[in-house]
Amino acid sequence: MLLIDGKKTSEEIESEIALRVSEIKQEGGKTPHLAAILVGNDGASQTYVGAKVKSCEQVGFESTLVRLEENVSEEELLKVVADINENPAIDGLIVQLPLPKHISVEKVTNKIKPEKDVDGFTPANVGRMTLGWPAYVAATPYGIVELLKRYKIETSGKHCVVIGRSHIVGSPMSILMARNEYPGNCTVTLTHSRTQNLPEITKTADILIVAIGKPEFVTADMVKEGATVIDVGIHRIADASKKSGFKLIGDVKFDEVSEKASAITPVPGGVGPMTIASLLYNTLLAAEGKVYTK
Ligand code: NAP
């Protein structure tokens, strides 16, 4: 069984990005600059944004963190986005989700200039990705594609089953796996909560990508012998034996599924670490004008 190590792969990608940044600086070019907007005091969001800003420093990017109060108006937030859109010093912009209930995620996402949308959430980038044009691909699906590529997982002609159809993971994943390129060229089945006989479908998957958000939902009897299994889920479970008081588990019952799979991502250390690496990569693309010509 091949363990697909997202931690090691993300470190390799971040080293490659750091190397490119030092070349840009030596050539007298502009240092890539990511801006992040964080609204409110949600603990998990602060941790995620903090990790993104720290990773920027580690690869030599500049970063700007804009913190806004929980009760900021939608209009004020849209104004901050508009200002960053027009700021030539900033290459990429992310708005940390979730946003407070009084703010429309759609309005805010749509306000981000596609050229700076390094999260790949705007309609322009989702459309470009769907057409196979150069695009910023959302970080988690992009990270999975990169893992499949770097671990040389054969995808052409395979049956790929995706569980979950969210806009940030399952849906883009299904599009990417069906594209006429590597990794891709799969016959894709996208499943969701209305799908009937799910285990019958998952048992036919050569590649099973699980983004359902239910702890250890996928068990060995749902998986074909020799399948590649990608576990996107992350759940904190109380564990008194750990210093932190919790452990992380995925959407897949790792112990039993890893006995049947030919390749599998662990949780933690699988898809999760790839997400930040992908965001940094998109920011580098933005700085170098590789998606939208500057
Ligand atoms: P989500 O928005 O909650 O979507 C879950 C999907 O699962 C929905 O499409 C839902 O179907 C489907 N579903 C629910 N019950 C089902 C069932 N019984 N059978 C088949 N499908 C079912 O979740 P998400 O944002 O995609 O995230 C999924 C997981 O990945 C979560 O654990 C999340 O924390 C994790 N995640 C990890 C990363 C990372 O960096 N590693 C990034 C993002 C998310 P309907 O559409 O019909 O409701």
Side-chain angles (χ1 to χ4, degrees), residues 156-235:
S156 180
K158 304 289 181 192
H159 183 205
C160 174
V161 174
V162 180
I163 309 184
R165 59 177 163 185
S166 72
H167 293 324
I168 60 165
V169 190
S171 174
M173 208 57 244
S174 69
I175 293 164
L176 293 167
M177 295 306 286
R179 285 202 300 191
N180 184 7
E181 61 183 78
Y182 177 76
N185 279 313
C186 287
T187 303
V188 178
T189 305
L190 180 60
T191 67
H192 44 76
S193 66
R194 306 292 177 92
T195 298
Q196 294 185 2
N197 302 325
L198 184 66
E200 293 309 312
I201 299 169
T202 57
K203 269 193 280 187
T204 67
D206 302 304
I207 300 170
L208 180 61
I209 301 176
V210 191
I212 186 173
K214 292 185 193 293
E216 297 186 333
F217 179 88
V218 171
T219 46
D221 57 340
M222 295 171 71
V223 176
K224 179 164 118 175
E225 192 81 44
T228 294
V229 179
I230 306 291
D231 187 353
V232 185
I234 310 178
H235 311 275

Side-chain angles (χ1 to χ4, degrees), residues 7-78:
K7 185 163 185 295
K8 185 169 133 264
T9 309
S10 66
E11 284 164 3
E12 283 165 13
I13 293 171
E14 288 175 21
S15 299
E16 291 160 16
I17 294 172
L19 188 64
R20 180 64 198 132
V21 174
S22 62
E23 283 170 4
I24 293 172
K25 287 180 182 171
Q26 273 168 19
E27 292 159 5
K30 182 189 159 301
T31 303
H33 188 155
L34 176 71
I37 301 177
L38 173 64
V39 180
N41 299 307
D42 177 71
S45 293
Q46 287 183 38
T47 307
Y48 293 142
V49 169
K52 289 170 188 173
V53 169
K54 191 164 161 237
S55 299
C56 282
E57 283 165 19
Q58 282 165 349
V59 297
F61 287 2
E62 283 178 28
S63 61
T64 298
L65 174 59
V66 182
R67 294 203 61 162
L68 301 169
E69 297 292 333
E70 180 83 22
N71 62 0
V72 67
S73 71
E74 187 179 88
E75 203 186 341
E76 282 171 275
L77 174 55
L78 291 172

